[in-house]
Coordinates of all heavy atoms in Angstrom, one line a residue:
M422 N 116.5 126.7 93.8 CA 117.9 127.3 93.9 C 118.6 127.1 92.6 O 119.4 127.9 92.2 CB 118.7 126.7 95.0 CG 118.7 127.3 96.4 SD 119.2 129.0 96.5 CE 120.9 128.9 96.7
N423 N 118.3 126.0 91.9 CA 119.1 125.7 90.7 C 119.0 126.8 89.6 O 120.0 127.1 88.9 CB 118.7 124.4 90.1 CG 119.2 123.2 90.9 OD1 120.2 123.3 91.6 ND2 118.6 122.0 90.7
H424 N 117.8 127.4 89.5 CA 117.7 128.5 88.5 C 118.5 129.7 88.9 O 119.0 130.4 88.0 CB 116.2 128.9 88.3 CG 115.6 129.6 89.5 ND1 115.2 129.0 90.7 CD2 115.3 130.9 89.7 CE1 114.8 129.9 91.5 NE2 114.8 131.1 90.9
L425 N 118.7 129.9 90.2 CA 119.6 131.0 90.6 C 121.1 130.7 90.3 O 121.8 131.6 89.9 CB 119.4 131.3 92.1 CG 118.0 131.8 92.5 CD1 117.9 132.0 94.0 CD2 117.6 133.1 91.8
Y426 N 121.5 129.5 90.5 CA 122.8 129.1 90.2 C 123.1 129.2 88.7 O 124.1 129.6 88.2 CB 123.1 127.7 90.6 CG 123.2 127.5 92.1 CD1 122.6 126.4 92.7 CD2 123.8 128.4 92.9 CE1 122.6 126.2 94.1 CE2 123.9 128.2 94.3 CZ 123.3 127.1 94.9 OH 123.3 126.9 96.2
L427 N 122.1 128.8 87.9 CA 122.1 128.9 86.4 C 122.3 130.3 86.0 O 123.1 130.7 85.1 CB 120.9 128.2 85.8 CG 120.9 128.2 84.3 CD1 122.0 127.5 83.7 CD2 119.6 127.6 83.8
Q428 N 121.5 131.2 86.6 CA 121.6 132.6 86.3 C 123.0 133.2 86.6 O 123.6 133.9 85.8 CB 120.5 133.4 87.1 CG 120.4 134.9 86.9 CD 119.4 135.5 87.7 OE1 118.4 134.9 88.1 NE2 119.6 136.8 88.0
L429 N 123.5 132.8 87.8 CA 124.8 133.3 88.1 C 125.9 132.7 87.2 O 126.8 133.4 86.7 CB 125.1 132.9 89.6 CG 126.5 133.2 90.1 CD1 126.8 134.7 90.0 CD2 126.7 132.7 91.6
G430 N 125.8 131.4 86.9 CA 126.7 130.8 86.0 C 126.7 131.5 84.6 O 127.8 131.7 84.0
R431 N 125.6 131.8 84.1 CA 125.5 132.5 82.8 C 126.1 133.9 82.8 O 126.7 134.3 81.9 CB 124.0 132.6 82.3 CG 123.5 131.3 81.9 CD 122.1 131.3 81.4 NE 121.6 130.1 80.9 CZ 120.4 129.7 80.7 NH1 119.4 130.6 81.1 NH2 120.0 128.6 80.2
A432 N 125.9 134.6 84.0 CA 126.5 135.9 84.1 C 128.0 135.9 84.1 O 128.7 136.7 83.5 CB 125.9 136.6 85.4
I433 N 128.5 134.9 84.8 CA 130.0 134.7 84.8 C 130.5 134.3 83.5 O 131.5 134.9 82.9 CB 130.4 133.7 85.9 CG1 130.0 134.2 87.3 CG2 131.9 133.4 85.8 CD1 130.1 133.1 88.4
A434 N 129.9 133.3 82.9 CA 130.3 132.8 81.6 C 130.3 133.9 80.5 O 131.2 133.9 79.6 CB 129.5 131.6 81.1
G435 N 129.4 134.8 80.6 CA 129.2 135.9 79.6 C 130.4 136.8 79.6 O 130.6 137.6 78.7
T436 N 131.2 136.8 80.6 CA 132.4 137.7 80.7 C 133.6 137.0 80.1 O 134.6 137.7 79.9 CB 132.8 138.1 82.1 OG1 133.2 137.0 82.9 CG2 131.6 138.7 82.8
C437 N 133.6 135.7 79.9 CA 134.7 134.9 79.4 C 134.8 134.8 77.9 O 133.7 134.9 77.2 CB 134.7 133.5 80.0 SG 135.0 133.5 81.8
P438 N 135.9 134.6 77.3 CA 136.0 134.4 75.9 C 135.3 133.1 75.4 O 135.3 132.2 76.2 CB 137.5 134.3 75.6 CG 138.2 134.8 76.8 CD 137.3 134.6 77.9
P439 N 134.8 133.1 74.2 CA 134.2 131.8 73.7 C 135.2 130.7 73.8 O 136.3 130.8 73.6 CB 133.8 132.1 72.3 CG 133.8 133.6 72.2 CD 134.8 134.1 73.2
G440 N 134.6 129.5 74.2 CA 135.4 128.3 74.2 C 136.3 128.1 75.5 O 137.2 127.3 75.5
F441 N 136.0 128.9 76.5 CA 136.7 128.8 77.8 C 136.5 127.4 78.4 O 135.5 126.8 78.2 CB 136.4 129.9 78.8 CG 135.0 129.7 79.4 CD1 134.9 129.0 80.6 CD2 133.9 130.2 78.8 CE1 133.7 128.9 81.2 CE2 132.6 130.1 79.4 CZ 132.5 129.4 80.6
K442 N 137.5 126.9 79.1 CA 137.5 125.6 79.7 C 137.0 125.7 81.1 O 136.3 124.8 81.6 CB 138.9 125.0 79.7 CG 139.0 123.6 80.2 CD 140.3 123.0 79.8 CE 141.2 123.0 81.0 NZ 142.5 122.4 80.8
E443 N 137.4 126.8 81.8 CA 137.0 126.9 83.2 C 136.9 128.4 83.5 O 137.7 129.2 83.0 CB 138.0 126.2 84.2 CG 137.6 126.3 85.6 CD 138.6 125.5 86.5 OE1 138.5 124.3 86.5 OE2 139.4 126.2 87.2
A444 N 136.0 128.8 84.4 CA 135.9 130.2 84.9 C 135.8 130.2 86.4 O 135.1 129.3 87.0 CB 134.7 130.9 84.3
R445 N 136.4 131.1 87.0 CA 136.4 131.2 88.5 C 136.1 132.7 88.9 O 136.7 133.6 88.4 CB 137.7 130.8 89.0 CG 137.8 130.9 90.5 CD 139.2 130.5 91.0 NE 139.4 130.9 92.4 CZ 140.1 130.3 93.2 NH1 140.7 129.2 92.9 NH2 140.2 130.7 94.5
L446 N 135.1 132.8 89.7 CA 134.7 134.1 90.3 C 135.1 134.1 91.8 O 134.7 133.2 92.5 CB 133.2 134.3 90.2 CG 132.6 135.5 91.0 CD1 133.0 136.8 90.4 CD2 131.1 135.4 91.1
D447 N 135.8 135.1 92.2 CA 136.1 135.3 93.6 C 135.4 136.6 93.9 O 135.6 137.7 93.3 CB 137.6 135.5 93.8 CG 138.4 134.2 93.7 OD1 137.9 133.2 94.3 OD2 139.3 134.1 92.9
A448 N 134.5 136.6 94.9 CA 133.7 137.7 95.2 C 133.5 137.9 96.7 O 133.5 137.0 97.5 CB 132.3 137.5 94.6
A449 N 133.4 139.2 97.1 CA 133.1 139.6 98.5 C 132.1 140.8 98.3 O 132.6 141.9 98.2 CB 134.3 140.0 99.3
P450 N 130.8 140.5 98.3 CA 129.9 141.5 98.1 C 130.0 142.8 99.0 O 129.8 143.9 98.5 CB 128.5 140.8 98.2 CG 128.8 139.4 98.0 CD 130.2 139.2 98.5
G451 N 130.3 142.5 100.2 CA 130.4 143.7 101.2 C 131.6 144.6 100.9 O 131.6 145.7 101.3
E452 N 132.6 144.0 100.2 CA 133.8 144.8 99.8 C 133.7 145.3 98.4 O 134.7 145.8 97.9 CB 135.0 143.9 100.0 CG 135.2 143.5 101.4 CD 136.3 142.4 101.6 OE1 137.1 142.3 100.6 OE2 136.4 141.8 102.6
D453 N 132.6 145.0 97.7 CA 132.4 145.3 96.3 C 133.5 144.7 95.4 O 134.0 145.3 94.5 CB 132.3 146.8 96.1 CG 131.8 147.2 94.7 OD1 130.9 146.4 94.2 OD2 132.2 148.2 94.1
R454 N 133.9 143.4 95.8 CA 135.0 142.7 95.0 C 134.4 141.7 94.2 O 133.7 140.8 94.7 CB 136.0 142.1 96.0 CG 137.1 141.4 95.3 CD 138.2 141.0 96.2 NE 137.8 140.2 97.3 CZ 137.7 138.9 97.4 NH1 137.9 138.2 96.3 NH2 137.3 138.3 98.5
L455 N 134.6 141.7 92.9 CA 134.2 140.7 91.9 C 135.4 140.5 90.9 O 135.7 141.5 90.2 CB 133.0 141.2 91.1 CG 131.7 141.4 91.8 CD1 130.6 141.9 90.8 CD2 131.2 140.1 92.4
D456 N 136.0 139.4 91.0 CA 137.2 139.1 90.1 C 136.9 137.8 89.3 O 136.6 136.8 90.0 CB 138.5 139.0 90.9 CG 138.8 140.2 91.6 OD1 138.8 141.3 91.0 OD2 139.1 140.2 92.8
V457 N 137.0 137.8 88.0 CA 136.8 136.7 87.2 C 138.1 136.3 86.5 O 138.8 137.2 86.0 CB 135.7 136.9 86.1 CG1 135.6 135.7 85.2 CG2 134.4 137.2 86.8
A458 N 138.4 135.0 86.5 CA 139.6 134.5 85.8 C 139.1 133.3 85.0 O 138.3 132.5 85.4 CB 140.6 134.0 86.8
C459 N 139.5 133.3 83.7 CA 139.1 132.3 82.8 C 140.3 131.5 82.3 O 141.3 132.1 81.9 CB 138.4 132.9 81.5 SG 137.0 134.0 82.0
T460 N 140.1 130.2 82.2 CA 141.1 129.3 81.7 C 140.7 128.9 80.3 O 139.5 128.4 80.2 CB 141.4 128.1 82.6 OG1 141.7 128.5 83.9 CG2 142.5 127.2 82.0
L461 N 141.5 129.1 79.3 CA 141.1 128.8 77.9 C 141.5 127.3 77.6 O 142.2 126.7 78.4 CB 141.8 129.7 77.0 CG 141.6 131.2 77.3 CD1 142.3 132.1 76.3 CD2 140.1 131.6 77.3
A462 N 141.0 126.9 76.5 CA 141.3 125.5 76.1 C 142.8 125.1 76.0 O 143.2 124.0 76.2 CB 140.6 125.2 74.7
D463 N 143.6 126.1 75.6 CA 145.0 125.9 75.5 C 145.8 126.0 76.9 O 147.0 125.8 77.0 CB 145.7 126.8 74.5 CG 145.7 128.3 74.9 OD1 145.2 128.6 76.1 OD2 146.1 129.1 74.1
G464 N 145.0 126.2 77.9 CA 145.6 126.3 79.3 C 146.0 127.7 79.7 O 146.3 127.9 80.9
S465 N 145.9 128.6 78.8 CA 146.3 130.0 79.2 C 145.1 130.6 80.0 O 144.0 130.2 79.9 CB 146.6 130.9 77.9 OG 145.4 130.9 77.1
Q466 N 145.5 131.6 80.8 CA 144.5 132.3 81.6 C 144.3 133.8 81.3 O 145.3 134.4 80.9 CB 144.8 132.1 83.1 CG 144.7 130.7 83.6 CD 144.7 130.7 85.1 OE1 145.3 131.6 85.8 NE2 144.1 129.7 85.7
V467 N 143.1 134.2 81.4 CA 142.8 135.7 81.2 C 141.9 136.1 82.3 O 141.1 135.3 82.8 CB 142.2 136.0 79.8 CG1 143.1 135.6 78.7 CG2 140.9 135.2 79.6
S468 N 142.1 137.4 82.7 CA 141.2 138.0 83.6 C 140.4 139.1 82.9 O 141.0 140.2 82.7 CB 141.9 138.5 84.8 OG 142.5 137.5 85.5
P469 N 139.2 138.8 82.4 CA 138.5 139.8 81.6 C 138.1 141.0 82.4 O 137.8 140.9 83.6 CB 137.3 139.1 81.1 CG 137.1 138.0 82.1 CD 138.4 137.6 82.6
P470 N 138.3 142.2 81.9 CA 137.8 143.4 82.6 C 136.3 143.4 82.7 O 135.6 143.0 81.7 CB 138.3 144.6 81.7 CG 138.5 144.0 80.3 CD 138.8 142.5 80.5
L471 N 135.8 143.7 83.8 CA 134.3 143.7 84.0 C 133.8 145.1 83.9 O 134.1 146.0 84.7 CB 134.0 143.1 85.4 CG 134.5 141.7 85.7 CD1 134.1 141.3 87.1 CD2 133.9 140.7 84.6
D472 N 133.0 145.4 82.9 CA 132.4 146.7 82.7 C 131.2 146.8 83.7 O 130.9 145.8 84.4 CB 132.0 147.0 81.3 CG 131.0 146.0 80.7 OD1 130.3 145.3 81.5 OD2 130.8 145.9 79.5
A473 N 130.6 148.0 83.7 CA 129.5 148.2 84.7 C 128.4 147.2 84.5 O 127.8 146.8 85.4 CB 129.1 149.7 84.5
E474 N 128.1 146.9 83.2 CA 126.9 146.0 83.0 C 127.3 144.6 83.5 O 126.4 144.0 84.1 CB 126.7 146.0 81.5 CG 125.5 145.1 81.1 CD 125.2 145.1 79.6 OE1 125.7 146.0 78.9 OE2 124.5 144.1 79.2
A475 N 128.5 144.1 83.3 CA 128.9 142.8 83.7 C 128.9 142.8 85.3 O 128.4 141.8 85.9 CB 130.2 142.4 83.2
R476 N 129.4 143.8 85.9 CA 129.4 143.9 87.4 C 128.0 143.9 87.9 O 127.7 143.2 88.9 CB 130.2 145.1 87.8 CG 131.6 145.0 87.5 CD 132.4 146.3 88.0 NE 132.5 146.2 89.5 CZ 133.4 145.4 90.1 NH1 134.1 144.6 89.5 NH2 133.4 145.5 91.5
R477 N 127.1 144.6 87.3 CA 125.7 144.6 87.7 C 125.0 143.2 87.6 O 124.3 142.8 88.5 CB 124.8 145.6 87.0 CG 124.9 147.1 87.5 CD 123.9 148.0 86.9 NE 123.9 148.0 85.4 CZ 124.7 148.8 84.7 NH1 125.5 149.7 85.4 NH2 124.7 148.8 83.4
G478 N 125.3 142.6 86.4 CA 124.7 141.3 86.2 C 125.1 140.2 87.2 O 124.3 139.5 87.8
I479 N 126.5 140.2 87.4 CA 127.0 139.2 88.3 C 126.6 139.6 89.7 O 126.2 138.7 90.5 CB 128.5 139.1 88.2 CG1 129.0 138.5 86.9 CG2 129.1 138.3 89.4 CD1 130.5 138.6 86.6
G480 N 126.7 140.8 90.1 CA 126.3 141.3 91.4 C 124.9 141.0 91.8 O 124.5 140.5 92.9
A481 N 124.0 141.2 90.8 CA 122.5 140.9 91.0 C 122.3 139.4 91.2 O 121.6 139.0 92.1 CB 121.7 141.5 89.9
A482 N 122.9 138.6 90.3 CA 122.7 137.2 90.4 C 123.3 136.6 91.7 O 122.7 135.8 92.4 CB 123.3 136.5 89.2
L483 N 124.5 137.1 92.1 CA 125.1 136.7 93.3 C 124.3 137.1 94.5 O 124.1 136.3 95.5 CB 126.5 137.3 93.4 CG 127.5 136.8 94.4 CD1 127.7 135.3 94.2 CD2 128.8 137.5 94.3
G484 N 123.7 138.3 94.5 CA 122.9 138.8 95.6 C 121.6 137.9 95.8 O 121.3 137.6 96.9
E485 N 121.0 137.4 94.7 CA 119.9 136.6 94.8 C 120.3 135.2 95.4 O 119.5 134.7 96.2 CB 119.2 136.4 93.4 CG 118.5 137.6 92.9 CD 117.7 137.4 91.6 OE1 117.1 136.3 91.5 OE2 117.8 138.2 90.7
V486 N 121.4 134.7 95.0 CA 121.9 133.4 95.5 C 122.2 133.6 97.0 O 121.8 132.7 97.8 CB 123.1 132.9 94.8 CG1 123.8 131.8 95.5 CG2 122.8 132.5 93.3
R487 N 122.8 134.6 97.3 CA 123.2 134.9 98.8 C 121.9 135.0 99.6 O 121.8 134.4 100.7 CB 124.0 136.2 98.8 CG 124.6 136.4 100.2 CD 125.5 137.6 100.1 NE 126.2 137.9 101.4 CZ 126.3 139.1 101.9 NH1 125.9 140.2 101.3 NH2 127.0 139.2 103.0
Q488 N 120.9 135.7 99.1 CA 119.6 135.8 99.9 C 118.9 134.5 100.0 O 118.4 134.2 101.1 CB 118.7 136.9 99.2 CG 119.2 138.3 99.4 CD 118.2 139.2 98.6 OE1 117.5 138.9 97.7 NE2 118.3 140.5 99.0
A489 N 118.9 133.7 99.0 CA 118.2 132.4 99.0 C 118.9 131.5 100.0 O 118.3 130.8 100.7 CB 118.2 131.8 97.6
M490 N 120.3 131.5 100.0 CA 121.0 130.7 100.9 C 120.8 131.1 102.4 O 120.6 130.3 103.2 CB 122.5 130.7 100.6 CG 122.9 130.0 99.3 SD 124.6 130.2 98.8 CE 125.3 128.9 99.7
A491 N 120.7 132.4 102.6 CA 120.5 132.9 103.9 C 119.1 132.6 104.4 O 118.9 132.3 105.6 CB 120.7 134.4 104.0
A492 N 118.1 132.5 103.5 CA 116.8 132.2 103.8 C 116.7 130.7 104.2 O 115.9 130.3 105.1 CB 115.8 132.4 102.7
Q493 N 117.5 129.9 103.7 CA 117.5 128.4 104.0 C 118.2 128.1 105.3 O 117.7 127.3 106.1 CB 118.3 127.6 102.9 CG 117.5 127.5 101.6 CD 118.3 126.7 100.6 OE1 119.5 126.5 100.6 NE2 117.6 126.3 99.5
D494 N 119.3 128.8 105.6 CA 120.0 128.4 106.8 C 120.2 129.5 107.9 O 120.8 129.3 108.9 CB 121.4 127.8 106.5 CG 122.4 128.7 105.9 OD1 122.1 129.9 105.8 OD2 123.4 128.3 105.4
G495 N 119.7 130.7 107.5 CA 119.7 131.8 108.5 C 121.1 132.5 108.6 O 121.3 133.3 109.4
K496 N 122.0 132.1 107.7 CA 123.4 132.7 107.7 C 123.6 133.4 106.4 O 123.3 132.9 105.3 CB 124.4 131.6 107.9 CG 124.3 130.8 109.2 CD 125.3 129.7 109.3 CE 125.0 128.8 110.5 NZ 125.9 127.7 110.4
S497 N 124.3 134.5 106.5 CA 124.7 135.3 105.3 C 126.2 135.2 105.2 O 127.0 135.7 106.1 CB 124.2 136.7 105.4 OG 124.5 137.4 104.2
W498 N 126.8 134.7 104.1 CA 128.2 134.6 103.9 C 128.8 135.9 103.5 O 128.2 136.8 103.0 CB 128.5 133.4 102.9 CG 127.7 133.4 101.7 CD1 126.6 132.7 101.4 CD2 128.0 134.2 100.5 NE1 126.1 132.9 100.1 CE2 127.0 133.9 99.5 CE3 128.9 135.1 100.1 CZ2 126.9 134.4 98.3 CZ3 128.9 135.7 98.8 CH2 127.9 135.3 97.9
R499 N 130.1 136.0 103.7 CA 130.9 137.2 103.4 C 131.6 137.2 102.1 O 131.7 138.2 101.4 CB 131.9 137.5 104.5 CG 131.3 137.9 105.8 CD 132.4 138.3 106.8 NE 133.7 137.8 106.4 CZ 134.6 137.2 107.3 NH1 134.3 137.1 108.5 NH2 135.7 136.7 106.9
S500 N 132.1 136.0 101.7 CA 132.8 135.9 100.4 C 132.5 134.5 99.8 O 132.1 133.6 100.5 CB 134.3 136.1 100.6 OG 134.9 135.1 101.4
C501 N 132.8 134.4 98.5 CA 132.6 133.1 97.9 C 133.6 132.9 96.7 O 134.1 133.9 96.2 CB 131.2 133.0 97.4 SG 130.8 134.0 96.0
T502 N 133.7 131.7 96.3 CA 134.4 131.3 95.1 C 133.5 130.4 94.3 O 133.0 129.4 94.8 CB 135.7 130.6 95.3 OG1 136.6 131.5 96.1 CG2 136.4 130.2 94.1
V503 N 133.2 130.8 93.0 CA 132.3 130.0 92.2 C 133.2 129.6 91.0 O 133.9 130.3 90.4 CB 131.2 130.9 91.6 CG1 130.3 130.1 90.6 CG2 130.3 131.5 92.7
T504 N 133.1 128.3 90.7 CA 133.9 127.7 89.6 C 132.9 127.0 88.6 O 132.1 126.3 89.0 CB 134.9 126.6 90.2 OG1 135.7 127.2 91.2 CG2 135.7 126.1 89.0
L505 N 133.1 127.4 87.4 CA 132.3 126.9 86.3 C 133.3 126.0 85.4 O 134.4 126.5 85.2 CB 131.8 127.9 85.4 CG 130.9 129.0 85.9 CD1 130.5 130.0 84.9 CD2 129.7 128.4 86.5
V506 N 132.9 124.9 85.0 CA 133.6 124.0 84.1 C 132.8 123.8 82.8 O 131.6 123.5 82.9 CB 134.0 122.7 84.8 CG1 134.8 121.8 83.8 CG2 134.8 122.9 86.1
A507 N 133.5 124.0 81.7 CA 132.8 123.8 80.4 C 132.0 122.4 80.4 O 132.5 121.4 80.9 CB 133.8 123.8 79.3
G508 N 130.8 122.5 79.9 CA 130.0 121.3 79.9 C 129.0 121.2 81.0 O 128.2 120.3 81.2
G509 N 129.0 122.2 81.9 CA 128.0 122.3 82.9 C 128.4 122.2 84.3 O 127.6 122.1 85.2
G510 N 129.7 122.1 84.6 CA 130.1 121.9 86.0 C 130.0 123.3 86.8 O 130.3 124.3 86.2
F511 N 129.5 123.2 88.0 CA 129.3 124.4 88.8 C 129.6 124.0 90.3 O 129.1 123.0 90.8 CB 127.9 124.9 88.7 CG 127.5 126.1 89.6 CD1 127.6 127.3 89.0 CD2 127.2 125.9 90.9 CE1 127.2 128.5 89.8 CE2 126.9 127.0 91.7 CZ 126.9 128.3 91.1
S512 N 130.4 124.8 90.9 CA 130.6 124.6 92.4 C 130.7 126.0 93.0 O 131.2 126.9 92.4 CB 131.9 123.7 92.7 OG 133.0 124.4 92.3
M513 N 130.4 126.0 94.3 CA 130.4 127.3 95.0 C 130.8 127.0 96.4 O 130.2 126.2 97.1 CB 129.0 127.9 95.0 CG 129.0 129.3 95.7 SD 127.4 130.1 95.4 CE 127.6 131.7 96.1
E514 N 131.9 127.7 96.8 CA 132.4 127.6 98.2 C 132.2 129.0 98.9 O 132.5 130.0 98.2 CB 133.9 127.3 98.3 CG 134.2 125.9 97.7 CD 135.6 125.6 97.6 OE1 136.4 126.2 98.5 OE2 136.1 124.9 96.8
V515 N 131.7 129.0 100.1 CA 131.4 130.3 100.8 C 132.2 130.4 102.1 O 132.5 129.4 102.7 CB 129.9 130.5 101.0 CG1 129.1 130.5 99.7 CG2 129.4 129.5 102.0
T516 N 132.5 131.6 102.5 CA 133.1 131.9 103.7 C 132.2 132.8 104.5 O 131.8 133.8 104.1 CB 134.5 132.6 103.5 OG1 135.3 131.8 102.7 CG2 135.2 132.9 104.9
E517 N 131.9 132.3 105.7 CA 130.9 133.1 106.6 C 131.6 134.1 107.4 O 132.8 134.2 107.5 CB 130.2 132.1 107.5 CG 129.3 131.2 106.7 CD 128.6 130.2 107.5 OE1 128.6 130.3 108.8 OE2 128.0 129.3 107.0

């Protein structure tokens, strides 16, 4: 699973400006909702626009994570929040 989390983290980080401190993805795959917010080193926040390529990359990585999680516990979640912290922090909360 770790390689799938890494893939998802890289897809999210790729949408943020260089040097970001934290990134947060709020997603609901069934609703086609993907929103990224980045906190910069100075504390300011930006919500980068997601072009079609970024949406595909995040969506594909998120889909793989979702499938793998469903294979483990037999449940498929509806929405999630993924938080990345500079230096390698990763957390994921799901809503079933």
Side-chain angles (χ1 to χ4, degrees):
M422 266 305 273
N423 284 341
H424 71 284
L425 297 177
Y426 292 137
L427 181 60
Q428 180 182 335
L429 176 58
R431 286 180 176 161
I433 296 166
T436 67
C437 293
F441 72 93
K442 185 168 100 176
E443 183 176 289
R445 178 180 165 146
L446 167 72
D447 289 308
E452 299 171 16
D453 196 32
R454 180 172 53 89
L455 296 174
D456 299 309
V457 175
C459 306
T460 303
L461 306 180
D463 66 4
S465 62
Q466 290 194 335
V467 296
S468 294
L471 301 179
D472 62 19
E474 182 178 342
R476 292 182 73 74
R477 277 192 303 275
I479 292 171
L483 195 58
E485 288 186 45
V486 168
R487 189 174 184 223
Q488 287 177 343
M490 290 174 83
Q493 286 180 343
D494 66 12
K496 300 176 186 174
S497 187
W498 46 264
R499 291 187 338 226
S500 63
C501 71
T502 299
V503 178
T504 304
L505 304 177
V506 179
F511 180 96
S512 66
M513 183 172 185
E514 297 175 28
V515 300
T516 304
E517 295 178 8

